[in-house]
Amino acid sequence: ARDTLKGGRSAIIDRCNFDGRQRSHFFDIAREARVAVDGIVLMPPPELCVRRCEERQHHETVSPREAKEIVMRMYSQFQTPSKEREPFRRLHFVTHMRMIDELLASYLTPDQDVRRSDVR
């Protein structure tokens, strides 16, 4: 992320970042680069996450038999991101995959108002 931002490009962090401590690392990088941070929180049901994790082949850190325990532990430790507690410029919560198209369009279309934080 740091090298991408130094190169003048946008960085996308695709991680769980389930608590503020983990997210703070990336806020620090953004602050160093003097860029704003937008958050997109995907909120699928835990059963879907477990199933997808169990189906993964050759995952670096999670085996299929550990999937349920690890996913459920992460869900129990999840701290919902907040613009009040964290320096997000925009924060979107996606509860249905159909919302992704609208949200992506708001970032990819130059005439679209990307300040919309009402995508819920």
Side-chain angles (χ1 to χ4, degrees):
R2 188 173 275 117
D3 291 340
T4 298
L5 293 172
K6 282 182 183 176
R9 297 181 311 271
S10 296
I12 297 174
I13 310 301
D14 182 7
R15 293 184 39 112
C16 292
N17 290 314
F18 60 82
D19 65 21
R21 184 184 55 76
Q22 290 186 7
R23 291 187 292 271
S24 70
H25 170 72
F26 298 104
F27 288 124
D28 291 344
I29 292 171
R31 195 172 4 264
E32 288 170 16
R34 304 182 90 150
V35 298
V37 175
D38 290 3
I40 300 173
V41 182
L42 303 179
M43 303 184 69
E47 301 79 26
L48 175 61
C49 294
V50 169
R51 188 181 82 233
R52 291 188 65 194
C53 193
E54 287 172 340
E55 292 171 354
R56 281 184 166 173
Q57 298 295 316
H58 312 292
H59 189 276
E60 298 173 1
T61 58
V62 181
S63 71
R65 72 174 183 277
E66 301 171 306
K68 184 174 184 175
E69 177 188 345
I70 290 172
V71 168
M72 297 312 292
R73 183 177 335 121
M74 290 177 73
Y75 258 85
S76 72
Q77 295 173 347
F78 181 72
Q79 295 173 357
T80 303
S82 165
K83 285 178 68 174
E84 289 75 35
R85 292 187 314 270
E86 298 168 293
F88 287 104
R89 172 180 61 178
R90 301 178 191 113
L91 185 57
H92 308 277
F93 292 86
V94 175
T95 55
H96 301 284
M97 292 311 292
R98 67 181 178 271
M99 297 166 71
I100 292 290
D101 290 336
E102 180 182 347
L103 184 57
L104 288 177
S106 73
Y107 280 92
L108 299 175
T109 306
D111 296 335
Q112 194 82 3
D113 181 3
V114 296
R115 290 173 293 160
R116 292 169 31 155
S117 59
D118 59 340
V119 179
R120 290 206 172 259

